[in-house]
Amino acid sequence: MTASLVPARPAILTVDDDPSVSRAVARDLRRRYGEQHRIVRAESGESALEALREMALRGDDVAVLLADFRMPGMDGLQFLEAAMDLYPAARRVLLTAYADTDAAITAINVVDLDHYLLKPWDPPEEKLYPVVDALLEAWRASDRRPVCETRVVGHRWSARSNEVRDFLARNQVPYRWYPCDDPEAARLLAAAGLDDQTLPVVVTPAGETLVAPDDAQLAERVGLSTTPASEFYDLVVIGGGPAGLGAAVYGASEGLRTVLVERTATGGQAGQSSRIENYLGFPDGVSGAQLTDRARRQAVRMGAEVLTARDVVALDVSGSGRTVRFSDGSSITAHAVVLATGVSYRELAAPGLADLAGRGVYYGSALSQASSCTGDDVYIVGGANSAGQAAVYFARHAKSVTLLVRGPSLEASMSHYLIEQIAGIPEITVRTCTEVVRAEGDGHLERLRLRDRNTGAEEVVDAPWLFVFIGAAPRTEWLDGLVARDPAGFVLAGPDLMTGGARPPGWPLDRDPYLLETSQPGVFVAGDARAESVKRVASAVGDGAMAVSLVHRYLERS
């Protein structure tokens, strides 16, 4: 392994178990980048990881990691996954042979890979340098300041402890989790003069101790924006999923004073997806968290304001103003509103589940729990894409994943690519025509009673983890009496409001409602909350963009 006594230059590290290939890669990199960067090479994942640990202790920067896919002991994928803990901002490249292309694409699900390169890449001027140039540019533009972590002390089976972890993870707030039986947890509690009866306890980077904080307190103390900068806006977007983020990006970029209000975390259900593989422009897939974090940063860069942990409870219409009221009694007003409130997962009604929610039973993916599932048996209820994506993700950690599907097959509700992917993962078992009829456990989930819907036969299985994805209900109950909704609660808009060609009752304008306009002029709906919408990320983003163009039309005629 090469070394340098000049720590000021950021490193490019390459690891390949074939000495001739390792030397060739280092030679090509040194020829182009040697003046501004240290070129560090290793011939095993273990030695490369040790080199990274030494550089981290010295405070050296690492810009790019290039790892061969096939290596004995620790392969390239395992190395990159471990390296993420030491240098999360470093750009990651997997080196593959032509025969490994399919495996490399599948492996992209495991690490947030920036690129993969086919060997050999002669000439490097065409096939290697343009890739590394782009990665170095992205690295230089990234925020590489030391991460100040929030620390969370809680109980493994505490519902609120797990909600705190999920809130921080979904809002991209770095944190470290300490179970209450960890020695460091005891030290933190003792330093704060607390005991394990006060959990969860959150210690902020500034050293402030929060005892069982609610989401609003937590958001404020960890640096999330919760207070509006103004009392009046051109556009208020309610909901921070793909539709809301799309509306915020296009609204702000087109000159509207825009604020997006989200009650938990931007991203919505899409943000909780472990992998989205059918979104246009991402042929290798992208995690929901990564996609929605990029969208949030894009909206902010365009000038949109993003408020987190603000629960909207009412919307009032008075003249040309639309007033959005929050649960704490405060409010903001705007010319126009886009409802992008999305949907929430429906809950299973089987006995025992409600008591164990957050204690082994989770609605949605709860990706923050994945590491805790290592070596355990995980059960997932649902037959659509969300359930399938979660099964693929948890299969990397759990001993086994069982997908429980009420219907006779997955074909009716799951994308074909995902069905094929599941079929190729031996840790996943699909049980069709099966339902959960009871959950049992002392303080946390321990067992499930399952029923075969064809035969009626029941069995009890040991199950410490259950994740539920059984369809969705719109978050629109607070709009009752203000805008027209269908019997399921989805918001009606545009042509769906017209009955026999007649405008909706009470419609005050001499024109028909615009395509995404609700029964209240100037109030639009986008994404999954809209009746008859297509429940896909791309269509939600399109709804958000279209809603902004209709807002402009509305404002021009008001």
Side-chain angles (χ1 to χ4, degrees):
M1 186 184 306
T2 64
S4 172
L5 298 177
V6 184
R9 292 181 298 165
I12 299 174
L13 183 145
T14 174
V15 52
D16 196 306
D17 67 303
D18 185 326
S20 62
V21 174
S22 178
R23 287 192 294 270
V25 175
R27 179 198 64 221
D28 287 343
L29 292 172
R30 192 173 293 110
R31 183 186 306 158
R32 175 72 168 245
Y33 306 105
E35 290 187 8
Q36 284 79 36
H37 299 82
R38 295 175 58 204
I39 308 303
V40 180
R41 74 176 181 91
E43 295 182 3
S44 72
E46 291 85 353
S47 61
L49 201 58
E50 182 60 32
L52 286 181
R53 292 192 184 102
E54 293 176 3
M55 287 188 280
L57 288 173
R58 292 195 301 266
D60 296 348
D61 274 337
V62 176
V64 179
L65 304 168
L66 301 95
D68 182 47
F69 180 54
R70 289 180 178 268
M71 293 189 294
M74 176 183 290
D75 65 26
L77 186 62
Q78 293 168 326
F79 163 72
L80 290 175
E81 192 169 18
M84 288 173 67
D85 293 333
L86 296 169
Y87 285 96
R91 302 296 155 164
R92 294 173 285 277
V93 180
L94 200 62
L95 310 179
T96 68
Y98 182 80
D100 294 329
T101 303
D102 290 341
I105 293 173
T106 300
I108 287 171
N109 288 316
V110 178
V111 295
D112 188 10
L113 201 65
D114 293 290
H115 206 87
Y116 71 89
L117 285 170
L118 293 177
K119 300 185 296 184
W121 45 61
D122 291 334
E125 289 77 10
E126 295 180 10
K127 298 183 178 180
L128 173 64
Y129 297 155
V131 171
V132 178
D133 285 348
L135 295 176
L136 287 172
E137 182 180 356
W139 178 80
R140 285 191 290 267
S142 64
D143 184 358
R144 304 185 303 278
R145 291 172 296 180
V147 174
C148 296
E149 288 184 324
T150 296
R151 290 167 288 178
V152 180
V153 179
H155 193 282
R156 181 187 186 191
W157 300 117
S158 160
R160 184 55 192 160
S161 294
N162 289 318
E163 288 168 359
V164 166
R165 295 175 65 189
D166 196 48
F167 179 87
L168 294 172
R170 292 182 60 191
N171 280 290
Q172 307 290 315
V173 177
Y175 75 94
R176 186 173 294 276
W177 163 253
Y178 297 99
C180 57
D181 56 356
D182 186 288
E184 180 63 13
R187 189 191 69 78
L188 288 171
L189 291 175
L194 301 170
D195 57 35
D196 59 9
Q197 303 302 308
T198 59
L199 302 181
V201 169
V202 177
V203 181
T204 70
E208 183 180 8
T209 300
L210 310 176
V211 178
D214 61 27
D215 286 355
Q217 293 173 316
L218 192 57
E220 183 179 358
R221 296 301 197 279
V222 299
L224 300 175
S225 179
T226 61
T227 304
S230 175
E231 295 181 353
F232 194 89
Y233 296 85
D234 293 319
L235 174 63
V236 174
V237 181
I238 304 174
L245 288 167
V249 167
Y250 283 95
S253 67
E254 294 176 13
L256 298 177
R257 290 172 298 169
T258 302
V259 60
L260 182 149
V261 181
E262 168 56 46
R263 69 174 187 172
T264 304
T266 52
Q269 286 190 359
Q272 295 178 278
S273 175
S274 58
R275 205 74 190 170
I276 300 171
E277 298 193 60
N278 57 356
Y279 187 69
L280 186 67
F282 290 87
D284 301 324
V286 61
S287 72
Q290 183 185 44
L291 179 65
T292 55
D293 180 58
R294 288 178 178 178
R296 180 193 59 79
R297 289 189 283 113
Q298 186 177 20
V300 171
R301 185 173 65 83
M302 291 295 181
E305 189 178 335
V306 178
L307 303 181
T308 305
R310 297 307 301 264
D311 193 13
V312 177
V313 296
L315 176 61
D316 297 335
V317 175
S318 178
S320 62
R322 277 85 184 107
T323 299
V324 174
R325 302 196 181 279
F326 300 117
S327 58
D328 65 355
S330 62
S331 65
I332 53 177
T333 302
H335 289 302
V337 171
V338 172
L339 304 172
T341 51
V343 293
S344 58
Y345 288 110
R346 291 192 173 96
E347 297 185 3
L348 276 176
L353 287 169
D355 293 337
L356 296 172
R359 297 178 170 88
V361 177
Y362 304 92
Y363 292 90
S365 57
L367 299 183
S368 59
Q369 298 297 327
S371 60
S372 301
C373 298
T374 301
D376 289 342
D377 298 312
V378 170
Y379 286 78
I380 296 174
V381 178
N385 280 9
S386 295
Q389 290 161 350
V392 171
Y393 181 79
F394 281 110
R396 303 205 307 264
H397 301 271
K399 180 174 70 175
S400 71
V401 176
T402 303
L403 196 57
L404 305 175
V405 184
R406 285 173 55 88
S409 71
L410 294 173
E411 278 74 10
S413 54
M414 189 176 292
S415 296
H416 178 69
Y417 82 88
L418 196 51
I419 295 174
E420 288 192 330
Q421 193 172 352
I422 287 172
I425 301 176
E427 289 82 8
I428 301 177
T429 300
V430 180
R431 293 186 55 168
T432 57
C433 299
T434 303
E435 60 185 351
V436 175
V437 295
R438 189 175 188 85
E440 301 172 351
D442 183 11
H444 62 88
L445 179 66
E446 296 176 288
R447 295 172 298 279
L448 292 173
R449 180 175 292 274
L450 308 179
R451 175 187 295 150
D452 186 309
R453 302 186 72 221
N454 288 331
T455 67
E458 296 186 358
E459 66 172 308
V460 176
V461 296
D462 292 332
W465 304 96
L466 177 69
F467 299 90
V468 182
F469 305 81
I470 56 167
R475 297 172 174 169
T476 60
E477 61 281 350
W478 59 279
L479 293 167
D480 189 30
L482 178 70
V483 300
R485 299 180 297 156
D486 69 11
F490 292 93
V491 177
L492 298 169
D496 293 332
L497 291 167
M498 309 291 285
T499 303
R503 293 167 183 162
W507 182 257
L509 304 180
D510 60 355
R511 61 167 177 82
D512 294 346
Y514 294 135
L515 184 61
L516 299 181
E517 195 169 21
T518 71
S519 57
Q520 283 289 346
V523 178
F524 298 81
V525 62
D528 290 357
R530 178 172 63 84
E532 305 300 327
S533 66
V534 178
K535 305 300 189 285
R536 289 291 185 268
V537 175
S539 61
V541 173
D543 265 13
M546 186 188 303
V548 170
S549 69
L550 297 173
V551 166
H552 278 292
R553 193 182 306 177
Y554 166 78
L555 294 176
E556 290 167 359
R557 296 188 57 175
S558 297

